[in-house]
Amino acid sequence: MMDVIGAFGGYIQNEKRYSAHTVNAYLRDLNQFATFLTSSFNGINPLNANFRHVRSWVVNLMEQKNEARSVNRKLSTLNTFYKYLLREKLVIFNPTEKVTSPKNKKRLPVFVEEKPMSDMFTKIDFGGGYEGKRNRLILNVFYMTGIRLSELISLKISDIDFHENTLKVLGKRNKERIIPFNTGLRNEIQDYLKERNEISTNPELFVTDKGEKLYPKLVYRVVTQYINIVATIEKKSPHVLRHTFATHLLNNGADLNAIKELLGHANLAATQIYTHNSFEKLRTIYKKAHPRA
């Protein structure tokens, strides 16, 4: 059986071009499934498993308090594995097809409230040197544009149109979008560039204090440091500022389709999750304000 799993690993690595991290995760899932069959069904071979065996594994995983998202990923691994076995004519059916996936628990996007975000830019002293100006601008670009971490790191000076006050962003699936920004952000970018251009000729907007392209860990460190000062939320990351951008726009009356375009979402369903945060805010206001709530 290990030979089959090993051959499958070679298939997803060499033909499907999955990353080494993904390949290891898939093989780990398959070995876990094989171990479960050995301990629970007298050593039945995965090649002979049916949907009842797979369903029992899913139930077992849920009973062990695995999150639905994690279980569904493991099911996806099995599905890919059995499709491969079908292709190789090693099985005659895919036992995962009759198994219902557990429902993912909806997680509301974590965001920073408006006052703490205002405090971040009005009450914190970032310092007057290059690093302070860069860190403040990183936070402001995230909050004012809602771009992703990878998009911020790849942002080039040439992507900025100072006449129209817009950013050109290349997002997922190489989809380009244009994001407007206000005069305040334009002035801050121009002020930052005076010092930035003295230490680097790289095309990227953001560089380290040595003039090199930024790396994700540095940006995470900056974002975490300053969110910690103004907010007590548990999760702190660049994506939290993207959530904050979208939630604040929605709370202040922005059209959902417009937010979708600004975020670069492929469909409206991905954007609609922010309406839950807005609804929760309305619920809180209602409970506080209505005499019989």
Side-chain angles (χ1 to χ4, degrees):
M1 186 56 215
M2 296 304 295
D3 290 342
V4 175
I5 293 178
F8 171 73
Y11 161 70
I12 59 176
Q13 181 175 6
N14 300 320
E15 291 191 39
K16 301 286 280 185
R17 299 291 182 183
Y18 287 178
S19 69
H21 175 77
T22 302
V23 171
N24 288 334
Y26 271 49
L27 297 182
R28 198 161 50 241
D29 291 341
L30 291 176
N31 286 320
Q32 184 184 23
F33 178 58
T35 300
F36 172 77
L37 293 179
T38 297
S39 60
S40 302
F41 294 100
N42 298 319
I44 187 173
N45 192 309
L47 295 179
N48 299 320
N50 60 40
F51 80 93
R52 292 183 182 84
H53 300 124
V54 176
R55 187 171 60 189
S56 294
W57 186 48
V58 169
V59 171
N60 178 263
L61 290 170
M62 296 301 290
E63 287 176 346
Q64 292 179 20
K65 307 300 182 184
N66 285 279
E67 291 188 3
R69 188 184 303 275
S70 174
V71 176
N72 285 331
R73 182 185 59 77
K74 293 176 186 294
L75 263 180
S76 177
T77 295
L78 278 194
N79 184 40
T80 304
F81 177 60
Y82 280 108
K83 283 182 177 178
Y84 164 78
L85 295 180
L86 280 170
R87 192 189 80 160
E88 298 297 314
K89 296 182 170 51
L90 294 174
V91 296
I92 58 174
F93 63 91
N94 182 346
T96 68
E97 289 182 350
K98 291 185 178 181
V99 179
T100 302
S101 300
K103 288 187 176 180
N104 287 322
K105 183 179 178 181
K106 285 187 177 179
R107 292 182 178 179
L108 294 181
V110 177
F111 68 98
V112 183
E113 296 284 354
E114 291 185 34
K115 186 180 184 307
M117 282 307 301
S118 175
D119 290 345
M120 182 181 290
F121 298 109
T122 58
K123 295 184 178 180
I124 292 178
D125 182 8
F126 289 85
Y130 168 73
E131 193 171 320
K133 288 185 177 182
R134 181 202 64 199
N135 292 349
R136 188 183 196 282
L137 185 60
I138 285 172
L139 294 161
N140 212 4
V141 168
F142 273 135
Y143 179 50
M144 295 296 292
T145 67
I147 61 176
R148 301 176 178 94
L149 170 61
S150 59
E151 294 168 346
L152 178 128
I153 288 176
S154 301
L155 194 64
K156 295 179 173 57
I157 297 173
S158 60
D159 293 327
I160 306 170
D161 186 330
F162 289 107
H163 179 69
E164 296 292 335
N165 282 6
T166 59
L167 296 179
K168 181 174 66 177
V169 178
L170 189 64
K172 290 184 176 180
R173 301 169 298 277
N174 289 322
K175 184 179 178 183
E176 187 179 285
R177 67 188 190 278
I178 303 296
I179 305 175
F181 56 84
N182 63 15
T183 302
L185 183 58
R186 181 192 67 191
N187 294 340
E188 187 171 336
I189 294 172
Q190 290 176 328
D191 181 56
Y192 157 80
L193 285 175
K194 292 175 185 176
E195 294 201 29
R196 177 245 180 264
N197 289 342
E198 291 182 3
I199 64 172
S200 179
T201 57
N202 282 357
E204 287 81 19
L205 173 64
F206 292 109
V207 295
T208 67
D209 55 2
K210 294 182 179 179
E212 299 168 352
K213 184 178 178 180
L214 284 194
Y215 48 94
K217 190 173 288 187
L218 188 154
V219 181
Y220 261 92
R221 191 162 62 239
V222 169
V223 171
T224 300
Q225 175 185 347
Y226 289 102
I227 290 182
N228 261 330
I229 296 173
V230 299
T232 57
I233 55 175
E234 185 174 340
K235 187 175 182 180
K236 306 169 187 72
S237 70
H239 219 70
V240 166
L241 294 181
R242 179 170 162 87
H243 293 327
T244 300
F245 165 80
T247 302
H248 290 184
L249 281 177
L250 194 60
N251 286 345
N252 286 282
D255 177 74
L256 197 62
N257 277 298
I259 297 174
K260 167 185 170 293
E261 295 302 318
L262 290 170
L263 291 174
H265 284 162
N267 55 68
L268 196 60
T271 317
Q272 285 174 328
I273 191 168
Y274 296 107
T275 62
H276 296 289
N277 277 333
S278 294
F279 178 75
E280 289 303 316
K281 182 177 181 179
L282 287 174
R283 189 202 298 274
T284 302
I285 293 171
Y286 173 79
K287 285 183 176 180
K288 287 182 179 178
H290 198 285
R292 298 188 66 185

